[in-house]
Amino acid sequence: MIEQYSGGNPMLIAWECGPGHPCQSVFDEASLRMAEELTQQFREQEHIVEVLSPANAPILVPSEGGFEIRHLVEQGEIASDAGELSRLAQDDPLWVGELVSEDGEVGVLIIQPND
């Protein structure tokens, strides 16, 4: 794709959860593990600048100092409070409609190739 279109434009890869699929929600363990694995595999590619997915996208969480940035997958493991983090993500307009569908059954990897 990069050779044909010169890169620069993001590529989107979507997957679906729900009845008949191996995950019920994008926020399920199976879905997050798959997203994390693909994120890491794409990041290793020479022509990929960045990969954003539900596994590694930032979630702003209130904290004593104002807020902190968390992720559903941290240091290769699903966060112990992933349920709470996923609820925050589902209320975040930067997530809904961009990385996940409103019902949480469709997720997207955003892959940014270099120019």
Side-chain angles (χ1 to χ4, degrees):
M1 182 173 165
I2 292 170
E3 289 176 10
Q4 184 173 357
Y5 298 108
S6 301
N9 294 316
M11 296 179 286
L12 305 177
I13 299 175
W15 72 97
E16 184 176 6
C17 296
H21 297 282
C23 52
Q24 293 303 307
S25 164
V26 169
F27 301 104
D28 285 0
E29 183 175 341
S31 179
L32 289 173
R33 289 196 185 284
M34 180 273 306
E36 173 67 6
E37 185 175 326
L38 286 176
T39 296
Q40 295 308 319
Q41 287 178 10
F42 278 112
R43 282 183 167 170
E44 293 172 2
Q45 301 301 311
E46 174 184 354
H47 297 291
I48 303 300
V49 175
E50 185 57 74
V51 180
L52 190 63
S53 76
N56 71 331
I59 302 169
L60 295 178
V61 177
S63 72
E64 287 183 24
F67 69 90
E68 64 179 303
I69 296 174
R70 297 284 310 281
H71 305 91
L72 287 166
V73 177
E74 298 175 326
Q75 299 175 347
E77 298 296 325
I78 295 176
S80 60
D81 58 346
E84 177 59 29
L85 292 174
S86 66
R87 284 186 283 283
L88 291 170
Q90 287 176 298
D91 288 335
D92 188 333
L94 297 175
W95 273 66
V96 177
E98 299 296 325
L99 288 171
V100 298
S101 61
E102 191 172 326
D103 62 6
E105 290 187 359
V106 177
V108 175
L109 272 82
I110 302 172
I111 302 164
Q112 181 64 52
N114 60 10
D115 290 335

